[in-house]
Amino acid sequence: MARFSAIITLSLLALTAYAQPGPDVRVLSEDARSIVIEFVPVFSTGTVVADDGKDYVRFGFQNSLIQPGEQGSPILPYRAVLIHLPARQ
């Protein structure tokens, strides 16, 4: 039983740590009907990507995700953040 409790506790701690948004996302204000969230990306240095004999610089930010698109379309990095909302009563 103690081993099972330890596994559950460690799992919950890992999920809680994963769900923390980090220093780039913070809640500025909240009330019963609204929430204001600030996102300030921490930009990383550009990486050089070569294509068709030309060098391009790709810029991004920490914890960014990229959704692949059609060839020639812009790459738009984004930041996914888990937001826990209360249930309706």
Side-chain angles (χ1 to χ4, degrees):
M1 183 66 177
R3 182 177 179 185
F4 178 73
S5 297
I7 291 172
I8 295 297
T9 302
L10 289 174
S11 298
L12 289 174
L13 287 173
L15 286 173
T16 302
Y18 178 74
Q20 298 300 318
D24 57 344
V25 178
R26 67 184 182 132
V27 176
L28 295 179
S29 66
E30 62 181 301
D31 60 28
R33 295 187 167 264
S34 66
I35 183 169
V36 178
I37 299 171
E38 177 183 54
F39 170 61
V40 180
V42 179
F43 290 99
S44 57
T45 58
T47 57
V48 177
V49 178
D51 191 23
D52 284 339
K54 297 179 183 177
D55 289 340
Y56 300 93
V57 180
R58 179 180 293 165
F59 294 97
F61 51 89
Q62 291 180 3
N63 301 316
S64 65
L65 301 171
I66 297 173
Q67 192 74 14
E70 294 183 30
Q71 185 174 2
S73 64
I75 296 174
L76 301 173
Y78 64 95
R79 172 79 154 90
V81 177
L82 178 64
I83 300 175
H84 184 162
L85 301 174
R88 291 185 176 199
Q89 295 185 13

